[in-house]
Amino acid sequence: MLTEQPAVNGLLREIAAVPTADGIDALDNLLSGEQRETELLAQQYRRYLLIFAAALVALLPSTPIPAHRVSSSQCASRISWRTLCASMPLPLHGIE
């Protein structure tokens, strides 16, 4: 172990001597530029989505509303009929 320590120290000095700050700065600048472009594109898409939503809201009043309305008595009779049908057992065909 004592004989390996000088070799390890020499490797560590060589690694520390390599100029990495410029490479890291260049990479950081590149990523920052891409991030800015992506944010601008996302902002543009949000703007398009807002315009599309506003157009849909503007078209909403022009859609026809169905004129067919069900009275409360018709609704009550439908509900009671469905309740009655749901409580009846299903017939088993072929088995008696």
Side-chain angles (χ1 to χ4, degrees), residues 13-73:
R13 276 192 297 276
E14 289 177 19
I15 291 172
V18 174
T20 56
D22 293 336
I24 291 173
D25 288 342
L27 184 62
D28 183 52
N29 291 336
L30 178 68
L31 291 175
S32 295
E34 287 183 11
Q35 183 177 4
R36 272 190 305 261
E37 290 173 8
T38 304
E39 288 174 1
L40 288 174
L41 190 61
Q43 184 179 10
Q44 185 178 10
Y45 287 155
R46 280 193 294 272
R47 207 173 290 132
Y48 291 156
L49 183 62
L50 179 65
I51 292 169
F52 180 69
L56 286 179
V57 168
L59 292 174
L60 187 63
S62 66
T63 58
I65 298 174
H68 177 16
R69 302 204 188 270
V70 177
S71 68
S72 60
S73 62

Side-chain angles (χ1 to χ4, degrees), residues 74-92:
Q74 288 174 329
C75 186
S77 66
R78 287 182 185 177
I79 290 173
S80 62
W81 177 251
R82 287 182 184 153
T83 306
L84 176 66
C85 290
S87 64
M88 295 175 59
L90 295 175
L92 298 174

